[in-house]
Amino acid sequence: MTLTYIFHSCFVLETEKSILIFDYWLDPYDVVSSLLKKDKHVYVFSSHFHEDHFNRAIFEWKKQQEAITYILSKDIYKHRRASKEDADVWLAKGGTWTDGTISVWALGSTDSGVSWIVETEGRRIFHAGDLNNWYAKFLPDVVPGQQMYSFEMEEAFDPIAHEKQYLGELKDIRKIADSFDVVMFPIDGRIGNGYTLGGRQFIERFEVGLFVPMHFTTGFESAWRMKEFTDEKGIPFWEISEEGETIKI
């Protein structure tokens, strides 16, 4: 198998039989168009409706590749970003689907939509979507029940309640699986101090074969900070350095 970083939170996993594309937004190196020409079934995942995880351009791919299956989070339809007939499979948290080649579980998020577990050809993959402990930087300064305001997110929130929700989502994921061959997870330095906390809490609870950072547009080096924590656990870490980069799994 090979995993290719496209941009932000978009990756392409190519297996012997199929091609899986997660959370397409932009493709600076035009990687996807060449993959669509291959004689393999293509599965397209979008975890939620935010523009950095979902782009309606994915539906144009049907003109190039007939063997394509769209597996989308139901919130995309609820927010009227797509029509019901656009996707082959609509899933919300708790939903499952299989066609014999891949098996999919939709798990929860601490933002919109879902996170994904996918099993194919003997491997188990996790793509977090926007699941993360997003407000970790506020935790040292907050008391239980206190509301804070994030100028980056433009909203008020309770950081302790948010972390509790995040840890609850991890418990729900463990009911399905406690180990993954590949984990794609947000390590986004733009959210400030504590930006690795969600990732650290994840690797404390799951066996991980390869940890892959995501949810950045530039500044790859900030995501590499997570490596010191994966090294402590003996988990391989992909130090992504450019769009279009590929790693063998």
Side-chain angles (χ1 to χ4, degrees):
M1 293 184 179
T2 60
L3 186 66
T4 303
Y5 172 64
I6 304 301
F7 187 75
H8 190 61
S9 297
C10 180
F11 293 85
V12 175
L13 179 69
E14 183 173 1
T15 74
E16 184 179 343
K17 299 178 181 177
S18 56
I19 294 170
L20 286 63
I21 304 174
F22 294 92
D23 281 18
Y24 178 87
W25 177 23
L26 302 172
D27 185 4
Y29 284 82
D30 195 26
V31 174
V32 172
S33 61
S34 61
L35 293 171
L36 294 174
K37 297 174 184 177
K38 295 193 175 186
D39 187 22
K40 294 184 178 183
H41 196 105
V42 176
Y43 298 90
V44 182
F45 297 82
S46 295
S47 65
H48 61 288
F49 76 96
H50 293 166
E51 68 171 9
D52 58 338
H53 292 259
F54 170 72
N55 185 335
R56 283 192 54 84
I58 61 176
F59 301 128
E60 296 297 312
W61 298 344
K62 288 184 284 189
K63 298 174 183 177
Q64 304 174 61
Q65 172 61 265
E66 292 183 2
I68 191 166
T69 300
Y70 294 93
I71 305 167
L72 307 187
S73 168
K74 282 186 176 179
D75 77 301
I76 295 170
Y77 173 67
K78 290 178 180 177
H79 284 85
R80 300 182 180 179
R81 299 298 196 271
S83 301
K84 213 153 198 177
E85 60 271 18
D86 285 329
D88 301 283
V89 183
W90 291 102
L91 293 177
K93 181 183 177 180
T96 62
W97 179 83
T98 185
D99 66 351
T101 299
I102 70 169
S103 297
V104 181
W105 291 260
L107 281 303
S109 177
T110 45
D111 198 339
S112 295
V114 301
S115 51
W116 302 113
I117 295 175
V118 182
E119 289 186 358
T120 185
E121 299 178 33
R123 301 293 180 94
R124 184 183 294 140
I125 313 300
F126 182 77
H127 187 286
D130 262 355
L131 173 69
N132 196 7
N133 191 344
W134 289 110
Y135 300 116
K137 77 173 183 179
F138 297 95
L139 289 171
D141 303 316
V142 72
V143 297
Q146 181 181 359
Q147 288 277 311
M148 305 287 283
Y149 185 82
S150 169
F151 291 95
E152 295 92 345
M153 303 291 189
E154 297 183 342
E155 63 181 0
F157 56 91
D158 179 339
I160 294 175
H162 181 83
E163 180 177 61
K164 184 177 180 180
Q165 179 196 357
Y166 172 65
L167 297 178
E169 298 294 354
L170 297 189
K171 285 184 180 180
D172 288 343
I173 294 168
R174 279 189 61 90
K175 294 174 185 176
I176 305 298
D178 61 4
S179 64
F180 299 98
D181 294 285
V182 180
V183 168
M184 291 161 273
F185 195 93
I187 304 295
D188 189 340
R190 296 173 299 174
I191 66 174
N193 293 337
Y195 69 94
T196 63
L197 180 60
R200 286 182 276 143
Q201 291 169 322
F202 191 96
I203 64 174
E204 287 168 359
R205 290 162 174 78
F206 298 91
E207 282 188 40
V208 177
L210 174 66
F211 190 96
V212 180
M214 68 176 193
H215 208 275
F216 40 74
T217 52
T218 58
F220 299 101
E221 293 84 356
S222 64
W224 298 350
R225 172 76 196 284
M226 186 66 194
K227 188 176 185 299
E228 68 180 84
F229 304 108
T230 56
D231 283 352
E232 290 174 3
K233 298 284 186 180
I235 298 170
F237 179 86
W238 186 12
E239 293 182 58
I240 299 171
S241 59
E242 63 178 357
E243 292 86 4
E245 189 173 337
T246 295
I247 190 171
K248 287 193 178 294
I249 299 169

